């Protein structure tokens, strides 16, 4: 579990993910969450890298999710995230992304964290910029790719 000043962020269990998937009414999310669970089951020793991570306020109120999309051969982990509409604009996404990236950098295998974002999603771009991600020259399936590199001090932790 990751804890910040206002948030608790944790990788969901298999049962929690199954319940979450069953409750989804948006087909693209249901498919994405099913793929995450499949990744967890295929790589149980790397559960955190495929799981749905729940984002909650300290009082247990669920406000969003994030995920990693595995780690590639170069030590890069892609992150995805979303915050419920009622909680947007309050810094929760930035807080969650910062905390998740810091957690990832504490893992020896990770050298960088990336995120793809639609070029018109100004709020998400702002979250990434405030979190220290920089725009790369690459374009992914969802849009431009932003990257944050592990710092030298994080490498020595």
């Amino acid at each position: 579990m990751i804890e910040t000043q206002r948030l608790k962020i944790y990788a969901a269990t298999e049962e929690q993910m199954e319940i979450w998937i069953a409750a989804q009414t948006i087909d693209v999310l249901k498919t994405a969450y099913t793929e995450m669970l499949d990744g967890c089951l295929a790589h149980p020793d790397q559960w955190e890298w495929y799981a749905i991570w729940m984002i909650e306020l300290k009082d247990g109120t669920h406000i969003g999710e994030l995920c990693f999309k595995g780690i590639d051969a170069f030590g890069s982990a892609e992150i995805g995230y979303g915050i419920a509409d009622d909680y947007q604009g309050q810094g929760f996404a930035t807080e969650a992304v910062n905390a998740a990236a810091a957690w990832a950098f504490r893992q020896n295998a990770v050298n960088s964290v990336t995120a793809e974002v639609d070029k018109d999603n100004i709020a998400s771009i702002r979250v990434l910029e405030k979190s220290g991600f920089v725009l790369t020259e690459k374009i992914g399936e969802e849009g431009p790719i932003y990257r944050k590199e592990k710092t030298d001090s994080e490498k020595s932790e």
Side-chain angles (χ1 to χ4, degrees), residues 1 10-19 21 33-54 66-71 78 103 107:
M1 177 177 304
Y10 60 92
T13 64
E14 180 177 352
E15 181 181 356
Q16 288 170 319
M17 286 196 286
E18 287 171 347
I19 292 167
I21 292 164
Y33 292 145
T34 300
E35 289 172 2
M36 289 177 204
L37 178 56
D38 291 345
C40 288
L41 297 174
H43 307 280
D45 57 324
Q46 297 179 3
W47 191 272
E48 294 89 354
W49 297 109
Y50 295 93
I52 303 166
W53 286 67
M54 302 300 182
L66 66 81
C67 68
F68 292 99
K69 300 175 183 178
I71 305 170
E78 183 181 344
W103 175 87
Q107 315 311 308

Side-chain angles (χ1 to χ4, degrees), residues 63-138:
I63 66 166
E65 307 83 48
L66 66 81
C67 68
F68 292 99
K69 300 175 183 178
I71 305 170
D72 70 17
F74 303 102
S76 184
E78 183 181 344
I79 191 173
Y81 54 89
I83 299 292
D85 291 346
D86 290 348
Y87 297 93
Q88 291 180 5
Q90 300 174 53
F92 293 122
T94 301
E95 190 171 332
V97 168
N98 277 326
W103 175 87
F105 289 142
R106 288 193 295 273
Q107 315 311 308
N108 289 333
V110 177
N111 297 314
S112 65
V113 177
T114 62
E116 294 182 17
V117 62
D118 184 290
K119 65 180 176 43
D120 297 325
N121 189 341
I122 303 304
S124 191
I125 290 169
R126 201 59 203 115
V127 165
L128 294 171
E129 291 172 344
K130 288 190 291 186
S131 298
F133 286 71
V134 295
L135 180 62
T136 69
E137 302 277 323
K138 298 178 181 175

